[in-house]
Amino acid sequence: MQFFRKGTGFLLLAWLMIVIGLLAGLFFDSMWFARFGSLVVLFAVMSEYTLIHQEFDTLYRRLDEITAKDNIPDLSPSKWHRKKVWTAHFTVVVGTLIWGFGDLFLPF
């Protein structure tokens, strides 16, 4: 379960839903691709939610360690965390397009 708390697992599940939906859309019916778009959005939003809460938890933990005499350290999230957040945003947009127009993307 630790894997999913970091948001990476949900993000991977979202992209896995794109692949499964695309295969189902190509082999069965193009509507399956569009329907899997809803699962893509679901897992991408869960990833964003998890990543935001992880960022807040880290920020609050770091702020608790600072005393009045200390200089304020760099509290910005890591580059890897920011890349995951932007990938999650991008996945929400892609999933929304698939959900709305996925049946039109496939050549059937």
Side-chain angles (χ1 to χ4, degrees):
M1 194 63 171
Q2 181 69 18
F3 183 65
F4 288 107
R5 283 194 202 134
K6 295 190 178 187
T8 306
F10 290 125
L11 202 53
L12 290 174
L13 279 174
W15 283 94
L16 180 66
M17 291 302 115
I18 291 175
V19 172
I20 293 172
L22 183 61
L23 292 173
L26 288 173
F27 290 114
F28 299 111
D29 184 14
S30 61
M31 283 302 293
W32 280 108
F33 184 51
R35 291 174 190 249
F36 270 85
S38 64
L39 295 174
V40 173
V41 172
L42 172 72
F43 288 126
V45 168
M46 289 171 70
S47 175
E48 281 188 317
Y49 179 81
T50 305
L51 289 168
I52 287 171
H53 278 281
Q54 180 188 6
E55 187 174 338
F56 283 147
D57 289 343
T58 303
L59 177 65
Y60 293 145
R61 197 173 332 106
R62 286 183 178 173
L63 285 174
D64 283 341
E65 296 170 357
I66 298 173
T67 62
K69 297 176 186 176
D70 294 337
N71 290 333
I72 296 179
D74 183 20
L75 299 173
S76 60
S78 67
K79 289 182 183 180
W80 174 243
H81 184 82
R82 282 184 272 169
K83 287 179 183 180
K84 285 192 290 187
V85 169
W86 280 108
T87 304
H89 289 318
F90 177 73
T91 306
V92 169
V93 172
V94 169
T96 304
L97 291 173
I98 290 171
W99 193 359
F101 304 104
D103 58 322
L104 302 177
F105 292 152
L106 297 181
F108 290 30

